[in-house]
Amino acid sequence: MKKGKVAAAGMLSLAMLMGTPAFNVLAAEPAVAVQPQGETLTRGEFFKMLDQAIDLPKSEEKRTYKDVPQGSELADIVNKLQTVGALHGYNDGTVRPEDKLKSGEAIALISGALGIPDHPVPGGSSPLDSEHWASNIASWMKSAKVDYNWNDLDRAITKQEAESLVKQLLSTSSDATKLLEESQKAQKDIKSFNLKGDMSFSMVLKQNALEQLSADERKTFEEMAKKGMSMKMEGAYVMPDSMYTKSHMKMPDFGQGVELGDMEIEQYVIGKDMYMHMKMPEIASADSKGTSEWVKMKDAFPLDMKTMMEQQMFGIPPQLEKKLFYRSAGEGQLSFQGRIDKLSDLASMMNGMQGMEDMTAALKEAEKSIGAIYLQGVMNFDPKTKLPVDSSMQFVISFNEKAGNAEEIPFKQMIMAQNVKYSDYNDNVKIELPEAAKQAKEASANVEAAKQATKQ
């Protein structure tokens, strides 16, 4: 299997992990209304404030600036902020740490530290004109339920305002934690539920990589970036050991004059056995309609649903505590924003969970191509039962610029938007294996071959 396909598998694993009803989160304190008075703050002081609030990867490249002492604490912080794209030096080789911090600079630095991309949020709108330099930032913040004064971004910001803003967006609070604890407690009593959702995919192309492709290949990726892809999904879960999922992905004509057709995957987990049926444009065992036979994978899912959900409720790993930030956005509603620099950190959420080895392996393999992930979303909970009602999430995956990725991944970012609705909790949900699946042939040898293929 090509590394690009393995990376895609890792992204689907990420979507599955973040889309489950058991949410492992920390929550951020709502902003306190602050009057614009008090002492002002310098850019350098705010750099240090950000470094204390969010865990950013260390910079391998050491840049130097005329107004930052080499080897100083500030130099290390500036290098980290520049590495993640939060800080851009001036043309004269300075970063002006002694200048007064402006309101627009503060929100831009926080956005850059989180990893908010420089393009509009999918399906959203901005409170600023599309030509405004902060329009894209404002669109992502609005989608994440961030209330910010976008009217005067050039005014100097006070220390009190800066501290309040950092507390709002990059810290945790007791009220949101309380809601999560109540929801997690309620989820322990779940016996069954249904879900439905949709997901869209779009891409930001890497121009230097496109130039290395043939004209036909270049056209394909340009059409792919322009049209994107979409997927609908549904599922049912019955504790402790039954699951049904069905996904239907729309595959548009990517400029080659050939209709690729749609890809559909239907899957059951009964006990520890998995049954799968696929309809897709290209499968080795397909008939003339592009439909595979049902396949049974014995003992492919040794973990029961209940155990999986309970283990997810143990909380977020310590290494992500200063990377993902949640806040109360109203009664029964939470929003979150954050960054993940290594997929292995995300995979650690599944440590100790039997049967998750393949998903964890896919995430770790995808890590070779992926630089960082920005994620944000909004989740709603039933005010009485405290159970999840729906969620809306966006993921931005940034790919490494390292040599060797150009031919396989000719795009620098992939944007995924996911909406999920949960229903029918403990409402006699049934999962029945179809007759054709009952007659499925076992494919243990094929499964092992597939595992070996992913290592290539």
Side-chain angles (χ1 to χ4, degrees), residues 14 23 80 114 188 190 237 293 306 315 336 381 396 418:
L14 167 66
F23 297 108
K80 286 194 288 186
L114 285 168
K188 291 181 179 180
I190 292 177
Y237 298 78
E293 297 178 349
K306 193 72 173 179
F336 70 90
F381 300 84
V396 181
Q418 175 181 285

Side-chain angles (χ1 to χ4, degrees), residues 165 167 206 282:
L165 184 61
K167 186 177 183 180
K206 189 188 300 181
E282 295 181 9

